[in-house]
Structure formats: C-alpha cells, structure tokens
Amino acid sequence: MTGIIGAMDIEVNGLISEMENPVTETISTMRFTSGKIGGHDVVVAKCGVGKVNAAVCAQTMILRYHPDRIINTGIAGSTSAKTHIGSVVIADRAVQHDMNTEVIGDERGTLFLEDESIMYIPCDSTLSGEIADVCRRLGDIDYTVGTVATGDIFIGSNDAREKLMRKFGAIACEMEGGSIGHVCYINRVPFCILRSISDDCTSDDPGVEYSTFSRSAADKAVRILLTYLS
C-alpha cells in the first residue's frame, strides 16, 4: 500500500476523487481515505499545516494502515534560482531548518534520535527516482531533485529563503515534509517528498504569489501522482 499525505484539501482531494471504493475514517480529527487508484492500494490523508500535525498523521498512518511507502505531496516555496513557480521539486533529502540548539554547541538542523544525531533525513532513492521517471515521461514537467527544508513558519521574505539555500543547500521550503520524513525514518518506512512551487524568489510579496498559484501548483503534483499510480 502507498500512503500519501498532504496538508490541505487542494493537495489531496484530486487524488481522493479518483479513488475506487473509497473508505474514509477519522483518527485524531484527521481524515484517512483508503481505496484503489490505478489498481494500487492507496491511503490518502489530509494532515493539516505544520510539523506536529504532519508527524501525528504519519505515525497514525503507519500504525493503522502499514503502508509500504509514504509520499508527502503538495506545494512549496522556492529557495533557489533553480526552482520557480510551476516547477516541481523531488527531494533527495529533507532538513528541519527550525530545529535549533546552536546555543549549546550543536549545528542548526540537527535531530537527536535514540542512537544517532542527523541533520539530513534521506529520502528513498528508488521511490524518488520513480517519481522523477514519471516527470520525464510526462514531458512537460520542469523538475529538480534536491534538499527540501521544513519548518513551522511560512517563509515570506527573499532574505530568509536565501539563508535556507546558503545554510542547507535547500531548493524549496515547506512546513511538513521533513517531519513526515522524520517519522518514516525512525519507523524504517521508505518516503519521498513531491512538491510543486507556488511562490518563488522573484517577488517582494510571496504571499500574493501563493494565493494566486497554489491551486495550479497543487494540481500539478496530483497529476504526477495519478500518473505514477496508473
């Protein structure tokens, strides 16, 4: 079974609408819909915005549905000249940029797990590669593979975006992927992040861009996943 998590309705409803024999249940106020897409067993969940919501959703999905893989989908902001409105980002790793214990000597972004400390959470290379193959097959998708930065803040200034690029090598920023990846990593569940850019570094008001392009960006990610599952 493939698990798919998005934060908002526009990121998941296009997938749910294509599902055969959907069954929906609510756990911890989050909606999980299971069924088939393209003959494949799928569970799709709307987690809500932010890292805690995303982590609760991912852990619940793993315990309740036992997916073989989890894909975080949706929209993101660009932090690099390589990515722009309408382009697609496929993560090869994720970092939680707001994890910060620098004051006691740790490097910003470091996560403290039971038996290791890591900064970058690796995405499953096979899964990410399969999503990239879909983008190539579709032919009209401009995609980039790289680091996605996650934090509990909407990055609304170009200066803040550039800092994420310089510090972490990030090509996009969002608010859930790294948290979902954290949960998948400690549960040994393969995961990847697919994001379509809704706002970039070319505007002095990314919030306006987000409002204008978020739906079309989300629709692009849905299209890629429907093709992947077909």
Side-chain angles (χ1 to χ4, degrees):
M1 172 177 276
T2 299
I4 301 173
I5 299 174
M8 301 180 293
D9 285 328
I10 61 170
E11 298 172 330
V12 299
N13 282 353
L15 297 166
I16 295 170
S17 67
E18 296 295 323
M19 196 176 288
E20 300 173 22
N21 303 315
V23 175
T24 298
E25 62 179 328
T26 301
I27 307 172
S28 301
T29 74
M30 296 177 185
R31 187 181 73 241
F32 296 80
T33 304
S34 58
K36 288 184 179 292
I37 298 177
H40 298 276
D41 291 323
V42 177
V43 56
V44 178
K46 172 191 169 184
C47 66
V49 174
K51 289 169 57 181
V52 174
N53 284 332
V56 170
C57 185
Q59 188 65 61
T60 301
M61 180 178 282
I62 290 168
L63 293 176
R64 174 69 178 87
Y65 295 95
H66 311 289
D68 302 305
R69 63 195 66 84
I70 289 179
I71 301 170
N72 172 228
T73 186
I75 59 180
S78 170
T79 56
S80 167
K82 295 179 180 178
T83 53
H84 52 82
I85 292 173
S87 65
V88 166
V89 167
I90 302 167
D92 57 7
R93 61 183 188 175
V95 61
Q96 295 182 41
H97 66 80
D98 61 347
M99 182 64 183
N100 190 344
T101 54
E102 289 177 310
V103 70
I104 57 173
D106 303 310
E107 192 168 359
R108 183 178 174 186
T110 301
L111 302 176
F112 304 95
L113 309 181
E114 179 64 24
D115 55 0
E116 64 177 328
S117 298
I118 62 172
M119 179 183 298
Y120 294 101
I121 304 165
C123 296
D124 183 76
S125 59
T126 298
L127 184 53
S128 296
E130 290 171 350
I131 299 296
D133 285 341
V134 170
C135 292
R136 284 192 290 270
R137 284 194 283 117
L138 286 171
D140 61 344
I141 303 294
D142 174 23
Y143 76 93
T144 304
V145 178
T147 301
V148 169
T150 300
D152 272 331
I153 181 172
F154 185 97
I155 305 297
S157 75
N158 289 334
D159 180 63
R161 292 168 187 252
E162 290 168 4
K163 286 180 179 177
L164 291 179
M165 186 271 291
R166 291 195 301 269
K167 174 64 178 176
F168 300 109
I171 61 173
C173 59
E174 38 84 287
M175 299 178 69
E176 297 83 28
S179 181
I180 293 168
H182 188 157
V183 173
C184 289
Y185 185 80
I186 63 178
N187 282 277
R188 303 296 186 259
V189 176
F191 97 105
C192 74
I193 301 170
L194 166 67
R195 295 280 183 154
S196 183
I197 299 298
S198 60
D199 48 286
D200 63 20
C201 301
T202 63
S203 171
D204 292 328
D205 193 348
V208 171
E209 290 184 337
Y210 170 86
S211 299
T212 303
F213 298 107
S214 57
R215 180 167 294 277
S216 60
D219 288 345
K220 183 170 290 186
V222 167
R223 177 187 171 210
I224 292 168
L225 287 179
L226 289 175
T227 304
Y228 171 69
L229 294 165
S230 65

